[in-house]
Amino acid sequence: MRAVLQRVTQASVTVGDRIVGSIGSGICVLVGISQDDTQDDMEYIARKVLGLRIFDTSSGMWKASVQDAKLEILCVSQFTLYGKTTKGMKPDFHSAMKSDRSRQFFDDFVALLGRSYCAEKIQTGEFGAMMQVALVNDGPVTLQLDSRKFS
């Protein structure tokens, strides 16, 4: 499982004319799910998303997590995080979990975040839709997470 985490002052997801998810200060998380991902991968990424200390406090920089600071999370499913570009010019997405299984996996991931933190502070995009993601990256701070790269 992969995630790209961005610290934001605001972020939103629009589908057509509708805003389907919107947050103020917090993190925007692009979530990629591979065919081989398991509950362990999901739990690893959830712990990182909730626990990484990427926010400043009065006592210094990089002292608080999104959970510590009681901020919001916007999760967006992003199968293209598993795009391979080594051969040719067309990305290969065969490593990404197929949509019939990944929809449930993504929903389970969001539910795990909600149970571990605060469901009311978590927004999502619309799974499988063509989405426009708008955000203001704060810092900028952008981190790549991969449950299969533990070093």
Side-chain angles (χ1 to χ4, degrees):
M1 190 169 179
R2 293 179 180 162
V4 174
L5 185 148
Q6 296 178 303
R7 185 175 75 184
V8 299
T9 57
Q10 63 185 31
S12 64
V13 178
T14 303
V15 175
D17 296 354
R18 298 180 293 123
I19 295 176
V20 296
S22 178
I23 65 168
S25 291
I27 54 176
C28 180
V29 185
L30 306 177
V31 179
I33 304 165
S34 83
Q35 290 186 28
D36 301 329
D37 284 337
T38 67
Q39 184 71 26
D40 289 341
D41 297 290
M42 183 189 303
E43 290 171 2
Y44 175 85
I45 295 294
R47 276 192 311 275
K48 289 291 188 176
V49 165
L50 294 175
L52 282 172
R53 294 181 306 215
I54 61 169
F55 294 93
D56 302 340
T57 67
S58 58
S59 62
M61 295 177 65
W62 310 98
K63 298 286 186 180
S65 69
V66 69
Q67 196 168 20
D68 297 332
K70 297 179 176 41
L71 299 175
E72 297 177 291
I73 301 170
L74 176 63
C75 290
V76 181
S77 177
Q78 178 99 33
F79 75 93
T80 60
L81 291 179
Y82 277 96
K84 291 183 182 173
T85 58
T86 51
K87 292 184 180 179
M89 294 300 174
K90 183 179 178 186
D92 174 356
F93 301 110
H94 287 93
S95 295
M97 187 180 284
K98 302 296 180 246
S99 64
D100 55 336
R101 289 180 46 227
S102 62
R103 177 185 303 265
Q104 186 61 56
F105 198 95
F106 179 76
D107 289 346
D108 291 348
F109 173 71
V110 172
L112 174 60
L113 290 175
R115 286 190 309 275
S116 302
Y117 177 35
C118 176
E120 294 78 30
K121 291 193 176 283
I122 300 170
Q123 297 280 313
T124 66
E126 186 175 306
F127 189 93
M130 279 300 259
M131 297 176 274
Q132 290 74 50
V133 179
L135 59 90
V136 177
N137 192 318
D138 184 25
V141 173
T142 302
L143 299 168
Q144 298 176 42
L145 308 175
D146 190 325
S147 63
R148 301 295 171 106
K149 294 182 181 176
F150 296 108
S151 57

